[in-house]
Amino acid sequence: MFMLLVFFTQLILPLTGQDQKSRFEAGPVFTATTLNYVLDYKLRLAGGRFTWNAMPRLSAEGSVLTNFSVPNTVTARDGGRAISAQFGPKFDMWRFRNLSVFLKFDSGFLTFSRTLRGIIAPDFHVVSERKVYPDVDFGGGLQIRVSHRLSLRGDFSDFLVFYRQAKVQDDLAGVTSVLPPYSQHNGSISASLLLRF
């Protein structure tokens, strides 16, 4: 209850350090995420971010990222090219002249282009398929204003992925394995360069 009170109080207070005009921001973003269900597996993504500063402290943003180096490993959960798309609000808790501290809550999806579906008879070849998982990314960070038009931003968040049930058919061994659905918390950091216009 106290956090909600602080949130709405901050939302209606006037800004003291930065201009209050609504502005758009866009630029490249680079993200590193540790997917904990595979030991020491790092998902490195790059893409773009777009932000609309709808109110002095409240923004709507979206980002689309992909991995440019596709790993050779394939599992029933991941493999191939990864694409992440997220959208959600960003709330500036404290804003100073050249610095802002923010919270964010994004949701979207994470998809892998080549996950293991099975080893199929009669020639026992490996079959893969695309998997799409919903996700939630919540956390915060710092945005440093280098100039009137240029900002540097760093995000630290909990990247929560909701994995669906997966079936792997192995005709060579004559069994079909079923992996139950589950959710996994993952640590994520990102850096971006934003141009304001």
Side-chain angles (χ1 to χ4, degrees):
M1 185 65 178
F2 175 72
M3 290 304 292
L4 285 175
L5 181 62
V6 170
F7 176 81
F8 288 112
T9 303
Q10 291 286 337
L11 189 63
I12 62 174
L13 287 177
L15 293 179
T16 57
Q18 301 178 19
D19 58 67
Q20 300 183 37
K21 294 181 180 179
S22 293
R23 301 222 181 252
F24 295 97
E25 295 173 341
V29 58
F30 305 93
T31 300
T33 303
T34 301
L35 296 179
N36 294 327
Y37 70 91
V38 177
L39 184 62
D40 201 30
Y41 179 66
K42 303 286 193 302
L43 184 63
R44 294 177 178 88
L45 304 175
R49 172 179 281 138
F50 182 82
T51 304
W52 173 48
N53 297 311
M55 298 175 65
R57 293 181 184 274
L58 188 63
S59 305
E61 64 180 12
S63 63
V64 178
L65 304 108
T66 186
N67 57 342
F68 293 105
S69 61
V70 179
N72 293 326
T73 57
V74 175
T75 71
R77 299 287 190 190
D78 64 37
R81 183 168 302 283
I83 297 175
S84 173
Q86 296 179 331
F87 308 92
K90 171 177 156 278
F91 175 67
D92 288 330
M93 290 293 291
W94 295 281
R95 294 182 76 173
F96 307 99
R97 181 174 179 81
N98 294 316
L99 175 71
S100 64
V101 180
F102 63 86
L103 298 175
K104 68 171 188 174
F105 184 85
D106 298 336
S107 61
F109 65 86
L110 175 65
T111 178
F112 293 95
S113 65
R114 195 174 71 243
T115 64
L116 182 63
R117 182 179 166 192
I119 303 172
I120 309 299
D123 55 352
F124 301 110
H125 63 282
V126 176
V127 177
S128 61
E129 64 181 349
R130 176 175 291 280
K131 292 270 178 65
V132 181
Y133 308 111
D135 64 45
V136 173
D137 188 35
F138 53 94
L142 299 172
Q143 186 163 339
I144 301 170
R145 210 165 154 188
V146 178
S147 68
H148 177 67
R149 295 206 173 269
L150 190 64
S151 296
L152 299 174
R153 173 174 159 174
D155 296 43
F156 309 92
S157 59
D158 183 4
F159 186 60
L160 179 60
V161 181
F162 301 93
Y163 294 99
R164 295 193 170 103
Q165 177 178 288
K167 290 184 179 180
V168 180
Q169 180 180 343
D170 187 352
D171 288 347
L172 190 62
V175 296
T176 298
S177 302
V178 178
L179 303 177
Y182 74 106
S183 58
Q184 178 67 58
H185 293 270
N186 308 286
S188 179
I189 60 172
S190 67
S192 56
L193 184 69
L194 296 171
L195 183 64
R196 181 178 280 208
F197 56 95

